């Protein structure tokens, strides 16, 4: 038997395969939020939370494949931010901090949305989103559009969730669930500076849950009240802040391109003065063309010296950099901040595709292999033990699972199993068939092209290692 450098030995196989003379009808797929929600539900990525009790608005639980996809997003972010760099260290600070932190940071007074109530329909709306909000009465109108609407003046509503610490329920025990992870980083600035022996420019990266009492959550997990933030505070000499701001916009944009988001679906938008957060000197958003339109994927802010100065004033602890020559200054901060949920929706929207193969519709997720929840499926063509395929298939599965997240699937006919793997975005399937029993080769099927090749069983592990390292660009969509 001869084989190429990738171990491919031919395309022989004894069962109907998709790749030979396939009729594939590719039409432009309209990707809607409904289609994404439905696939997530059908394949166990995401469930509405507390469903057996009627749910809780805009709250979701993540199932098996959702957890695996989140895990990939998290670890690829950490890899780019910490593992592959010398200048950034990791941190995991508490969710509930001393409430003085939020006074100093300006969140107690400044982390607000302007809200108006309608005395007629009794609903509450964000003043800056009246044009897109729906009035409570039928036929649905935008609030304020008809003379019947009786809107109050706007009032500021704080987005932080309050809680109590300890047994006493009085003002002294009030605390907040963090609305961002950044403050946990600023209050540890001195610890890290001393112990990690860093000097600007250097960064501190943190991933963790954040909580916001959003008044108009929605669009699936795009805007939720509980989400997982990935933030990195990059401390720089003040006169280098602009340079590093531009650097991080470009670096983060390239990260999204590297992991398969289409260039045409991404853009950078600079905030106008009126939309910047209370701490920001300049902010640019990386926006993605979600099914709901262009919206913020990641924000990259120049926070100036706002936070370190505020915490220095409020805590009495000097948060500054003192150089070996005695020079001292308060570093400025560049902050790329993104939630796992926003990346999750962007990846699914980008990867979702439909095409007609042999007159049957195929739905698939063309995910970057590094992001795909399952890297490969191992499928015995016939799942009866007596057919002799289960044993080599289990053996291959046991070997591969030690190195990669792979799935053994013996339920249903082979076409159904392929379709199931397509829908969860598994890039490759290895099928053990009767030819395997004759010559020790397996079929590898490619999710995107549907091409099939044969590999020697003993070369599968190396083939998969190699395939996962290959550069990947998003294939054209149907
Ligand atoms: N520390 C800066 C900060 O928190 P932000 O623009 O308010 O800035 C950062 O939030 C990122 O968090 C956003 O770019 C977005 O990716 C994500 N995000 C914000 N609110 C969210 C929500 N309610 N649900 C999901 N993700 C959210």
């Amino acid at each position: 038997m001869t084989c190429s450098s990738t171990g491919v030995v031919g395309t022989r196989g004894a069962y109907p395969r998709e790749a030979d003379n396939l009729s594939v009808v590719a039409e432009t797929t309209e990707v809607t939020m409904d289609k994404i929600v439905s696939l997530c539900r059908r394949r166990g990525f995401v469930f509405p939370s507390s469903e057996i009790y009627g749910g809780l608005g805009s709250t979701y639980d993540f199932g098996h494949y959702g957890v695996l996809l989140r895990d990939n997003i998290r670890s690829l972010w950490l890899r780019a931010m910490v593992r592959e760099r010398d200048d950034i260290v990791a941190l995991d600070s508490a969710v509930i901090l001393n409430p003085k932190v939020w006074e100093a940071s300006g969140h107690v007074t400044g982390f607000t949305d302007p809200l108006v109530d309608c005395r007629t329909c009794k609903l509450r709306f964000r003043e800056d989103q009246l044009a897109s909000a729906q009035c409570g009465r039928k036929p649905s109108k935008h609030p304020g559009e008809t003379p019947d609407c009786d809107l109050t003046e706007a009032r500021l509503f704080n987005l932080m969730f309050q809680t109590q610490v300890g047994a006493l329920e009085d003002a002294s025990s009030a605390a907040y669930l963090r609305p961002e992870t950044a403050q946990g980083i600023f209050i540890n600035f001195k610890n890290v500076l001393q112990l990690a022996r860093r000097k600007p420019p250097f960064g501190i990266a943190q991933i963790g849950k954040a909580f916001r009492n959003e008044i108009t959550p929605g669009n699936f997990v795009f805007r939720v009240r509980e989400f997982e933030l990935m933030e990195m505070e990059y401390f720089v000499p003040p006169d280098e802040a602009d340079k590093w701001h531009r650097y991080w916009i470009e670096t983060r944009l390239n990260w999204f391109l590297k992991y398969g988001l289409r260039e045409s679906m991404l853009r950078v938008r600079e905030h106008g003065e009126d939309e910047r957060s209370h701490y920001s000197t300049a902010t640019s958003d990386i926006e993605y063309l979600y099914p709901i339109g262009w919206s913020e994927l990641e924000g990259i802010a120049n926070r100036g010296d706002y936070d370190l100065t505020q915490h220095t004033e409020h805590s009495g602890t000097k948060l500054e950099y003192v150089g070996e020559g005695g020079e001292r200054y308060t570093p400025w901060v560049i902050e790329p901040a993104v939630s796992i949920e926003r990346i999750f929706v962007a990846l699914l929207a980008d990867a979702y595709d439909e095409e007609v193969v042999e007159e049957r519709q195929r739905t698939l997720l063309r995910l970057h292999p590094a992001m795909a929840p399952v890297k490969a499926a191992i499928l015995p063509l016939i799942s009866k033990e007596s057919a002799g395929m289960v044993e080599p298939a289990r053996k291959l599965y046991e070997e591969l699972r030690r190195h990669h997240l792979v799935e053994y699937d013996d339920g249903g006919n082979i076409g159904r199993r392929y379709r199931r793997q397509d829908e969860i975005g598994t890039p490759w399937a290895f099928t053990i068939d009767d030819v395997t029993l004759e010559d020790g080769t397996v079929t590898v099927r490619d999710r995107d092209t549907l091409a099939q090749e044969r590999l020697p069983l003993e070369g599968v592990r190396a083939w998969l290692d190699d395939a996962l390292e290959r550069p990947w660009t998003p294939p054209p969509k149907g």
Side-chain angles (χ1 to χ4, degrees):
M1 181 168 29
T2 55
C3 57
S4 71
S5 58
T6 55
V8 175
V9 292
T11 55
R12 195 160 66 99
Y15 52 95
R17 297 194 320 271
E18 300 161 305
D20 300 337
N21 305 316
L22 267 186
S23 131
V24 178
V25 180
E27 286 168 3
T28 307
T29 303
E30 192 204 352
V31 182
T32 63
M33 209 56 122
D34 282 350
K35 286 183 182 175
I36 294 171
V37 172
S38 155
L39 183 140
C40 283
R41 181 69 212 243
R42 194 162 70 242
R43 292 297 172 202
F45 280 81
V46 182
F47 310 114
S49 187
S50 317
E51 207 177 4
I52 60 169
Y53 288 102
L56 175 68
S58 294
T59 312
Y60 295 90
D61 297 335
F62 288 82
H64 183 65
Y65 298 121
V67 171
L68 297 180
L69 177 53
R70 290 175 68 99
D71 214 31
N72 293 338
I73 296 171
R74 198 182 288 116
S75 61
L76 292 170
W77 185 89
L78 259 186
R79 176 168 156 178
M81 283 296 186
V82 178
R83 219 173 88 191
E84 292 177 347
R85 302 185 64 109
D86 297 326
D87 55 348
I88 302 179
V89 295
L91 180 81
D92 189 359
S93 68
V95 167
I96 300 175
L97 305 175
N98 187 316
K100 288 181 188 158
V101 170
W102 304 109
E103 286 165 25
S105 68
H107 281 81
V108 171
T109 50
F111 196 57
T112 52
D113 275 345
L115 298 184
V116 296
D117 290 298
C118 177
R119 297 186 189 92
T120 314
C121 71
K122 311 283 183 232
L123 289 182
R124 183 168 272 187
F125 308 98
R126 265 177 66 168
E127 191 198 26
D128 54 345
Q129 292 177 355
L130 288 180
S132 57
Q134 298 242 300
C135 174
R137 285 162 309 132
K138 300 267 185 279
S140 220
K141 295 257 181 345
H142 301 307
E145 213 172 75
T146 70
D148 295 347
C149 299
D150 186 5
L151 302 182
T152 63
E153 288 294 305
R155 278 174 300 172
L156 292 179
F157 177 85
N158 198 294
L159 298 183
M160 284 195 293
F161 280 105
Q162 270 205 40
T163 186
Q164 304 284 327
V165 172
L168 278 179
E169 281 197 26
D170 61 15
S172 67
S173 64
Y176 304 97
L177 301 187
R178 65 180 175 197
E180 62 171 14
T181 65
Q183 298 306 322
I185 296 180
F186 298 129
I187 59 176
N188 277 291
F189 173 78
K190 205 171 163 193
N191 290 334
V192 175
L193 196 63
Q194 284 170 350
L195 295 172
R197 289 175 287 109
R198 291 291 193 279
K199 64 181 220 181
F202 79 97
I204 306 177
Q206 162 150 249
I207 301 180
K209 286 270 181 161
F211 305 84
R212 296 182 189 178
N213 196 2
E214 300 276 6
I215 295 312
T216 50
N219 286 316
F220 193 38
V221 297
F222 177 84
R223 189 180 303 284
V224 277
R225 297 197 172 97
E226 177 185 331
F227 54 98
E228 195 165 338
L229 260 179
M230 305 196 291
E231 298 194 287
M232 196 277 294
E233 310 302 319
Y234 201 68
F235 301 93
V236 302
D239 59 351
E240 294 180 14
D242 282 345
K243 177 182 92 181
W244 286 111
H245 192 208
R246 285 195 302 276
Y247 167 88
W248 279 109
I249 293 168
E250 197 186 319
T251 303
R252 293 300 303 146
L253 193 58
N254 286 336
W255 187 86
F256 289 113
L257 293 170
K258 177 174 178 183
Y259 290 111
L261 292 189
R262 279 149 232 262
E263 201 165 359
S264 59
M265 307 295 276
L266 290 162
R267 73 177 186 194
V268 175
R269 190 182 67 81
E270 205 176 316
H271 278 207
E273 239 172 76
D274 53 334
E275 52 176 333
R276 269 186 231 137
S277 308
H278 60 275
Y279 49 73
S280 162
T281 306
T283 296
S284 287
D285 285 344
I286 296 177
E287 293 190 331
Y288 182 78
L289 185 51
Y290 289 96
I292 53 171
W294 285 105
S295 307
E296 177 179 354
L297 168 61
E298 169 156 351
I300 296 130
N302 176 350
R303 295 181 76 127
D305 62 359
Y306 175 84
D307 303 274
L308 293 182
T309 303
Q310 287 292 110
H311 288 302
T312 296
E313 279 170 16
H314 282 72
S315 68
T317 300
K318 266 209 150 113
L319 301 178
E320 60 176 6
Y321 170 71
V322 183
E324 277 166 13
E327 78 275 19
R328 53 177 66 215
Y329 62 86
T330 305
W332 279 36
V333 173
I334 308 302
E335 174 198 67
V338 63
S339 70
I340 289 187
E341 286 74 7
R342 293 274 166 106
I343 301 178
F344 191 93
V345 182
L347 286 174
L348 293 183
D350 218 89
Y352 186 96
D353 202 5
E354 293 164 354
E355 62 186 13
V356 177
V357 180
E358 300 286 75
E359 295 175 4
R360 287 186 53 206
Q361 174 154 318
R362 167 171 104 111
T363 302
L364 71 159
L365 292 179
R366 299 188 191 273
L367 286 168
H368 188 294
M371 286 291 181
V374 175
K375 308 303 176 202
I378 293 91
L379 318 172
L381 181 62
I382 300 173
S383 51
K384 269 196 282 166
E385 291 273 351
S386 56
M389 297 170 198
V390 167
E391 196 196 323
R394 290 289 317 177
K395 205 167 150 220
L396 179 62
Y397 169 59
E398 298 298 338
E399 184 198 349
L400 294 181
R401 76 189 294 188
R402 284 193 275 129
H403 310 280
H404 302 291
L405 216 140
V406 292
E407 197 168 275
Y408 179 82
D409 188 353
D410 62 1
N413 71 44
I414 195 75
R416 282 210 10 218
R417 282 182 268 165
Y418 282 153
R419 295 294 181 273
R420 187 155 61 219
Q421 296 299 331
D422 285 343
E423 284 208 344
I424 62 167
T426 306
W428 300 287
F430 298 108
T431 304
I432 283 65
D433 54 20
D434 37 7
V435 182
T436 314
L437 308 183
E438 281 170 31
D439 68 4
T441 64
V442 299
T443 305
V444 56
R445 170 202 186 256
D446 185 283
R447 172 198 70 199
D448 296 321
T449 61
L450 294 176
Q452 298 194 12
E453 298 168 311
R454 293 203 74 90
L455 311 174
L457 247 179
E458 66 275 13
V460 170
R461 156 86 201 285
W463 186 95
L464 184 57
D465 289 351
D466 183 57
L468 283 166
E469 288 302 315
R470 267 183 241 143
W472 188 91
T473 45
K477 271 191 173 190

